[in-house]
Amino acid sequence: MFRRISTLLMLGLSMSLSSMALAIDIQPNTLYPQVELDTSMGIIVVELDRTRAPITVDNFLTYVVKGHYNNTLFHRVINDFVVQGGGLDLKQEEKPYDAPIVNESGNGLSNSFGTIAMARDNDPHSATSQFYFNVADNERLDPSSRRWGYAVFGEVTQGEEVLVAMAAVATEHNNKLDWPDFPIEDIILKKATLLPRK
């Protein structure tokens, strides 16, 4: 009986430590953490802005640290608009995701070329794991006095040419998913890595 209680206590302690480790891994005290995205078309590095979008940055980094984005597809590409990913595995199946987060689109960051923002449904507070890169100046995605926008939380600091090349790939309607603007040739996010603090 004592052994069983000890085992349960150790299990509980290890789970608590795992949670603490995860919190440490997302660099909670780093205002501008950087993430490297190793894609099948090249490397992209983004610098995130925790001062303007703390909830969104923590959410994104949690998915990064958990390995959620590794071996996923960029599944929506519209030239002169967006390149979107973060939700589908290599079999074109949706990955499990955590609870939606509060929309931080009113943070003063604009959906301009080279920024990263959260994808969502019509519900303004429905963003989970999917993100997109703006490959044009998309101010119409910013909030106004009458509507919520799409939350920008960082910008590309390396690999803009990779992003431009992604935006130019051929796309088609994906019959399996019944989604438009799906790349004919897979664009794979092989690994997302939280870079060490500078």
Side-chain angles (χ1 to χ4, degrees):
M1 180 71 171
F2 178 77
R3 182 175 290 172
R4 183 172 173 212
I5 291 171
S6 297
T7 304
L8 289 172
L9 285 172
M10 289 302 293
L11 182 60
L13 180 61
S14 67
M15 289 174 69
S16 297
L17 290 173
S18 295
S19 298
M20 287 168 58
L22 182 59
I24 292 166
D25 284 345
I26 66 168
Q27 298 177 9
N29 298 319
T30 302
L31 296 181
Y32 302 100
Q34 294 192 324
V35 173
E36 180 183 272
L37 306 175
D38 181 4
T39 81
S40 55
M41 296 185 70
I43 300 288
I44 298 172
V45 176
V46 292
E47 182 178 85
L48 311 181
D49 191 340
R50 196 177 249 128
T51 66
R52 298 286 189 91
I55 295 168
T56 309
V57 168
D58 285 359
N59 177 69
F60 181 76
L61 290 180
T62 299
Y63 283 111
V64 169
V65 170
K66 285 165 49 176
H68 175 91
Y69 295 127
N70 299 346
N71 296 310
T72 56
L73 296 172
F74 286 96
H75 63 270
R76 183 178 181 227
V77 173
I78 305 174
N79 201 6
D80 294 321
F81 186 42
V82 298
V83 172
Q84 183 172 331
L88 296 183
D89 65 20
L90 300 184
K91 296 178 181 177
Q92 300 180 7
E93 293 174 354
E94 192 167 14
K95 296 192 72 170
Y97 50 83
D98 297 332
I101 58 171
V102 172
N103 188 320
E104 293 183 303
S105 63
N107 60 19
L109 298 175
S110 179
N111 281 271
S112 55
F113 174 82
T115 56
I116 184 172
M118 291 307 296
R120 61 171 174 82
D121 296 327
N122 290 331
D123 176 353
H125 307 292
S126 59
T128 55
S129 67
Q130 291 192 29
F131 62 90
Y132 65 90
F133 290 106
N134 286 290
V135 289
D137 291 331
N138 294 318
E139 288 87 358
R140 66 187 184 274
L141 299 180
D142 294 342
S144 74
S145 59
R146 289 184 277 178
R147 68 170 191 275
W148 288 88
Y150 291 77
V152 174
F153 62 101
E155 65 182 348
V156 173
T157 58
Q158 179 186 324
E160 278 189 359
E161 72 284 355
V162 176
L163 200 54
V164 170
M166 284 183 180
V169 302
T171 61
E172 64 183 357
H173 186 92
N174 183 293
N175 292 324
K176 175 182 175 180
L177 299 167
D178 195 22
W179 288 357
D181 309 309
F182 204 97
I184 293 173
E185 303 261 341
D186 286 349
I187 305 176
I188 301 170
L189 174 46
K190 297 186 286 187
K191 188 172 185 184
T193 305
L194 175 57
L195 297 177
R197 294 176 182 85
K198 285 188 172 181

